[in-house]
Amino acid sequence: MKSFFSKIWILFVLCGLFFQCIQNRDDLFYSGQEGNQKIFETYALKNSGCGTNKLPGALLLGRVKIDDLKLCFKAIELIDCVTWNTEGYVPGSCKNIGTSFK
């Protein structure tokens, strides 16, 4: 019985380590500089299509998940120009971008 619990405990530790390794993979993240550049490019593209000069509301200070930015970019792409030209409008998925300082 003691051996069984030891094996289960080892299994949980290995799963935890494996999950941690997946979460810290660098290919899942952009650096802050790369993320900011891509956001500015997306805003510039939308601005040129809608005839505005809107700037991002915040800068990314640390690395950011690529998938989070892709959601933001897709939301910007799908917004109509009337909504985009509304003062202070930022898509919800762009407000929820989290940064990591690891």
Side-chain angles (χ1 to χ4, degrees):
M1 185 73 162
K2 197 175 205 182
S3 172
F4 175 74
F5 286 118
S6 299
K7 289 178 184 177
I8 295 294
W9 184 81
I10 290 171
L11 180 66
F12 279 119
V13 169
L14 291 176
C15 288
L17 290 173
F18 180 71
F19 182 74
Q20 184 66 24
C21 291
I22 289 174
Q23 290 300 312
N24 287 328
R25 285 185 26 201
D26 288 335
D27 60 338
L28 298 176
F29 295 90
Y30 285 133
S31 69
Q33 182 180 0
E34 289 173 309
N36 286 322
Q37 178 182 351
K38 294 198 180 287
I39 287 175
F40 275 99
E41 290 171 359
T42 304
Y43 267 67
L45 185 63
K46 188 65 172 186
N47 285 336
S48 68
C50 293
T52 61
N53 193 20
K54 192 173 205 166
L55 294 173
L59 294 175
L60 303 171
L61 301 176
R63 64 189 200 152
V64 62
K65 284 186 179 179
I66 293 171
D67 289 342
D68 289 349
L69 279 181
K70 285 183 179 179
L71 285 174
C72 174
F73 300 155
K74 186 54 93 173
I76 290 172
E77 181 183 312
L78 295 175
I79 295 170
D80 62 289
C81 287
V82 173
T83 305
W84 181 253
N85 293 336
T86 304
E87 183 68 31
Y89 178 78
V90 177
S93 58
C94 295
K95 291 178 185 177
N96 295 330
I97 294 175
T99 57
S100 172
F101 297 103
K102 290 182 182 180

